[in-house]
Amino acid sequence: MMSKLLQSVALAASMMVATSAVQAQELKIGFVNSERVLREANLAKAAQIKLEAEFGKREKDLRDLEAKLRGAAEKLEKDAPTLSEAERGRRQRDLVEQDRDLQRRKREWQEDLTQRKNEELSAVVEKANKVIKQIFDNEKYDLILQDAIHFSPRVDITKKVIDTLNAQK
């Protein structure tokens, strides 16, 4: 009975020592706000400018075509009382066909833009992840999180990631 009591005391003492050792080793944790990286890093800004240059003309052409179609619809509405039934029907069919074409072109533009935006952002994310891994290794972090609900500013390394990305050429 006495030996069981001594074993229990020894076990409790060793558990307390182990718990103290774990508490003595502090975890080094970092947090990266990916949304902020994608908004503030020069690489992300350059990707946005590149996309605007690549898709801006098409967007302007679509807006111009839409305005032209709206003008033609207003003209038809204004001229409708003086037009023959056949002419009014022909113009309406033309407008419907032009509107279908415009909607198709808008969809294609949106799909192309989304695909290119995903390509550009994935390249930025890939480079940011490499920088995060580099910081993790160099500064001996135990854990780096991305996108947390709550975090303390003392663990936020987002600025460090952005600065490192901006320093790269």
Side-chain angles (χ1 to χ4, degrees):
M1 177 112 147
M2 188 62 118
S3 69
K4 287 198 185 234
L5 181 60
L6 287 174
Q7 285 177 344
S8 296
V9 169
L11 180 62
S14 65
M15 287 177 64
M16 286 176 36
V17 169
T19 303
S20 298
V22 168
Q23 288 175 345
Q25 294 177 338
E26 290 212 17
L27 292 175
K28 188 169 182 182
I29 297 173
F31 166 74
V32 178
N33 182 333
S34 348
E35 182 182 312
R36 190 171 147 211
V37 170
L38 291 175
R39 192 177 56 242
E40 295 178 17
N42 291 342
L43 198 58
K45 291 176 183 178
Q48 183 63 35
I49 290 168
K50 184 178 178 183
L51 288 171
E52 288 171 6
E54 188 175 332
F55 287 91
K57 184 185 180 324
R58 268 175 74 186
E59 182 179 17
K60 183 190 177 307
D61 291 346
L62 288 171
R63 279 196 310 261
D64 292 347
L65 191 59
E66 190 173 32
K68 181 180 168 189
L69 187 59
R70 208 175 12 258
E74 290 170 1
K75 182 172 178 4
L76 174 63
E77 193 174 310
K78 187 177 100 177
D79 295 348
T82 61
L83 295 174
S84 69
E85 190 67 31
E87 180 64 17
R88 186 173 38 244
R90 187 189 66 71
R91 283 193 186 180
Q92 285 174 339
R93 283 189 302 278
D94 286 349
L95 283 176
V96 167
E97 187 62 36
Q98 289 174 18
D99 185 55
R100 251 190 234 125
D101 183 54
L102 174 65
Q103 297 310 317
R104 178 187 54 77
R105 290 172 68 179
K106 278 183 171 181
R107 267 192 317 276
E108 289 172 354
W109 173 82
Q110 187 62 50
E111 289 169 1
D112 291 347
L113 176 63
T114 300
Q115 180 181 357
R116 286 288 295 124
K117 188 180 285 188
N118 288 340
E119 290 169 3
E120 291 293 328
L121 288 179
S122 70
V124 173
V125 166
E126 185 178 323
K127 289 181 181 177
N129 285 339
K130 286 180 182 177
V131 165
I132 293 167
K133 175 72 168 117
Q134 176 185 353
I135 291 170
F136 177 86
D137 292 338
N138 292 346
E139 298 185 21
K140 309 260 188 280
Y141 276 87
D142 295 306
L143 176 69
I144 294 181
L145 301 169
Q146 287 180 294
D147 303 322
I149 295 172
H150 299 286
F151 61 93
S152 168
R154 72 181 169 81
V155 298
D156 189 358
I157 61 169
T158 305
K159 182 163 177 24
K160 187 183 296 185
V161 171
I162 291 170
D163 291 345
T164 305
L165 272 172
N166 290 347
Q168 293 179 345
K169 293 296 170 192

